[in-house]
Amino acid sequence: MGVKDELLIYLKQQNIEINQIARELNIEKEKLIDSTYELKAGEFCEICAYLQVDPWYFYKKKQKK
């Protein structure tokens, strides 16, 4: 499981709509939900800033598994 998967789990746990993030940050929804699309580092950081979550949170969580 990668950081994108951890991000999706976080969004679900926090009841944050993927559509809302995609719309407000102007990121294609497919980049968030489809594993064939890659999320660019800048997009990931933008999402983390929007959520007010340190990007390392998702990386460290991934490493523990």
Side-chain angles (χ1 to χ4, degrees):
M1 194 176 333
V3 292
K4 185 169 149 182
D5 298 315
E6 294 295 340
L7 172 64
L8 291 173
I9 290 169
Y10 178 85
L11 294 176
K12 186 174 181 178
Q13 290 173 339
Q14 300 298 316
N15 295 319
I16 299 171
E17 293 282 332
I18 292 173
N19 291 332
Q20 175 186 347
I21 289 180
R23 183 179 58 253
E24 290 189 24
L25 299 180
N26 199 27
I27 296 173
E28 296 174 44
K29 180 181 173 183
E30 289 75 21
K31 285 188 173 185
L32 296 170
I33 59 173
D34 190 338
S35 62
T36 60
Y37 287 87
E38 287 192 22
L39 193 61
K40 294 179 183 175
E43 293 168 331
F44 177 70
C45 289
E46 192 175 351
I47 292 168
C48 290
Y50 174 82
L51 297 172
Q52 297 181 354
V53 176
D54 184 349
W56 285 104
Y57 169 83
F58 300 105
Y59 176 75
K60 289 177 183 174
K61 192 161 183 147
K62 174 188 174 272
Q63 295 302 316
K64 289 181 182 179
K65 291 186 177 182

